[in-house]
């Protein structure tokens, strides 16, 4: 009985299998639901935070866009003010200075210039020019020991001077070879490079980017002490470069008529406060004899406002008695071919690398090139004028009328002190163009070299 009872009790105390498993399933279900509730609870705040941050982000972006818009408007308004102020104070006065109006044939000038009649209307005859004649070619030569004042006196007396060894022979040769290649395909060159041409004469514009020889030639020009002293004695400190080109007289070229590069009615001859004095420099790229057509000049004629001096300069001039129209005196030829070997005529020689610089008011011409060896005569040309620091500061006179000046835009504002660094830290953009507009006054060239040159004076 006892045994039976115990067994029965054990059986009664054991839970039925289905009862035992049910609480476990319920517990797992409860746990799962609890985890889902917790997960849902944790997720809900994140969703709420994102929802709340969206308006704040939009507001922040809106403020940023508004500030950028206001900044842009302010910058635009400031830029317009600067441009207008610069135009009113710089370019408008400059353009007013350049206004020409209509040419008056009776007055033989522009009426706008009549209030600037600073020079008397000097009409020259042969006798007057003969008084100014040099004794020989050496009188035009600038000596290495001369001061700027002495060089300026020579230029003022004769209207032209010569200087030796401005270019090294190898530089002149390399530049000439490059130009000879251009001449072979001259008819294919762009109009921006050929600015004057005829059957037998070609003028080409040059740029630093064209060939390394050009930069080397400019550096040698800028470092030539005698040239620097001469230019600064004539034009003042650091004169401006207003032309960089070349002129070739082909073999067989006919002679030019004698002429000036500046019109007598549109230059400093009459209007010294309106027009600059400009000086062109021809550097021979080969030894040039008189039969090759070395440039002919009429010394002293740069003071003359004659409409035509051909007869006077070339020895075709005769003084006549006004009463009986009889010939009184026939004057000899005054003009002669430039040379740098001290001789004039058939024995004269304009040496390779030497320079001839002249006032553009002087009467001159290119003779015929009749060299029996078939050599072309090529010259490297630079033209200088007194410098302006900004559009209406410094020398604000304009360049003379009657000629052309080839200078590419990337050489604007170039000056003598920039040339020693051509191809380096000078004559580069955008600073050169900004300097030309007066918007950039910092000097990009070597201040040590510039200071030394300025101290040298002249």
């Amino acid at each position: 009985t006892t045994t039976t009872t115990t067994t029965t009790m054990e059986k009664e105390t054991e839970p039925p299998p289905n009862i035992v498993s049910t609480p476990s399933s319920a517990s797992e279900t409860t746990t799962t639901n609890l985890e889902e509730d917790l997960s849902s609870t944790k997720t809900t705040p994140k969703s709420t935070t994102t929802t709340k941050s969206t308006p704040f982000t939009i507001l922040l972006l809106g403020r940023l866009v508004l500030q950028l818009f206001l900044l842009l408007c302010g910058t635009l308004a400031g830029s317009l003010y600067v441009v207008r102020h610069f135009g009113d104070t710089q370019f408008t006065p400059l353009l007013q200075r350049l206004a020409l109006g209509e040419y008056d044939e009776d007055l033989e000038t522009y009426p706008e210039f009549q209030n600037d009649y600073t020079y008397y209307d000097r009409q020259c005859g042969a006798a007057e020019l003969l008084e100014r004649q040099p004794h020989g070619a050496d009188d035009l030569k600038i000596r290495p020991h001369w001061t700027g004042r002495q060089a300026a006196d020579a230029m003022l007396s004769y209207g032209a001077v010569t200087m030796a060894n401005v270019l090294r022979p190898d530089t002149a040769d390399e530049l000439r070879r490059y130009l000879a290649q251009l001449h072979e395909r001259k008819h294919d060159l762009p109009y921006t490079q050929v600015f004057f041409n005829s059957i037998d004469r070609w003028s080409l514009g040059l740029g630093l980017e064209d060939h390394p020889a050009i930069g080397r030639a400019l550096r040698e020009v800028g470092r030539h002490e005698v040239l620097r002293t001469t230019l600064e004695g004539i034009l003042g400190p650091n004169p401006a470069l207003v032309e960089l080109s070349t002129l070739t007289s082909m073999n067989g070229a006919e002679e030019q008529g004698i002429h000036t590069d500046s019109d007598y009615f549109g230059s400093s001859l009459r209007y010294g406060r309106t027009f600059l004095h400009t000086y062109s420099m021809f550097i021979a790229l080969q030894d040039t004899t008189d039969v090759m057509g070395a440039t002919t000049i009429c010394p002293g004629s740069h003071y003359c406002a004659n409409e035509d001096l051909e007869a006077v300069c070339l020895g075709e001039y005769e003084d006549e008695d006004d009463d009986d129209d009889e010939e009184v005196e026939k004057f000899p030829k005054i003009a002669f071919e430039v040379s740098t070997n001290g001789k004039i005529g058939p024995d004269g020689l304009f040496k390779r690398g030497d320079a001839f610089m002249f006032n553009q008011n002087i009467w001159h011409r290119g003779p015929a090139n009749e060299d029996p060896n078939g050599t072309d005569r090529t010259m490297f040309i630079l033209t200088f004028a007194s410098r302006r620091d900004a559009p209406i500061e410094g020398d604000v006179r304009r360049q003379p009328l009657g000629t052309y000046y080839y200078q590419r835009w990337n050489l604007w504002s170039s000056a003598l002190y920039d040339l020693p660094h051509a191809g380096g830290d000078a004559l580069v953009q955008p600073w050169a163009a900004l300097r030309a507009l007066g918007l950039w006054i910092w000097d990009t060239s070597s201040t040590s070299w510039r200071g030394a040159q300025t101290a040298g004076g002249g």
Side-chain angles (χ1 to χ4, degrees), residues 256-269:
Q256 292 179 317
I258 195 164
H259 62 278
T260 63
D261 287 341
S262 301
D263 292 329
Y264 69 94
F265 56 80
S267 70
S268 56
L269 280 173

Side-chain angles (χ1 to χ4, degrees), residues 76-131:
L76 181 60
S79 301
L80 291 175
Y81 173 79
V82 170
V83 170
R84 181 172 180 176
H85 176 75
F86 191 76
D88 292 341
T89 60
Q90 303 281 339
F91 282 104
T92 299
L94 179 62
L95 292 176
Q96 290 173 349
R97 291 173 183 266
L98 299 180
L100 288 179
E102 295 294 331
Y103 180 75
D104 191 318
E105 295 184 359
D106 294 330
L107 294 174
E108 294 185 344
T109 187
Y110 293 90
E112 289 79 0
F113 298 157
Q114 288 305 300
N115 62 346
D116 181 22
Y117 207 86
T118 53
Y119 283 28
Y120 63 92
D121 192 359
R122 183 175 187 171
Q123 301 294 310
C124 300
E128 186 173 8
L129 287 181
L130 282 171
E131 294 177 358

Side-chain angles (χ1 to χ4, degrees), residues 45-59:
K46 289 185 179 179
S47 176
T48 303
T49 303
T50 302
T51 304
K52 290 181 179 180
S53 65
T54 300
F56 176 76
T57 303
I58 294 174
L59 180 62

Side-chain angles (χ1 to χ4, degrees), residues 129 132-134 140 157-158 297-302 334-336 362:
L129 287 181
R132 291 186 164 274
Q133 288 307 290
L140 302 183
S157 295
Y158 306 121
I297 62 167
C298 187
S301 60
H302 59 301
I334 298 173
F336 61 86
I362 198 172

Side-chain angles (χ1 to χ4, degrees), residues 14 48 112 115 188 232 239 256 270 281 286 301 313 332 337 364 379:
E14 292 179 0
T48 303
E112 289 79 0
N115 62 346
D188 298 327
E232 294 197 315
Q256 292 179 317
R270 288 185 173 180
M281 181 171 65
Q286 67 288 306
S301 60
C313 291
E337 283 69 48
H364 64 283
M379 296 176 295

Side-chain angles (χ1 to χ4, degrees), residues 146-153 228-234 457-458:
W146 278 9
T147 64
R149 176 62 180 271
Q150 289 174 305
D153 286 345
R228 181 195 62 80
T229 300
T230 300
L231 279 171
E232 294 197 315
I234 298 169

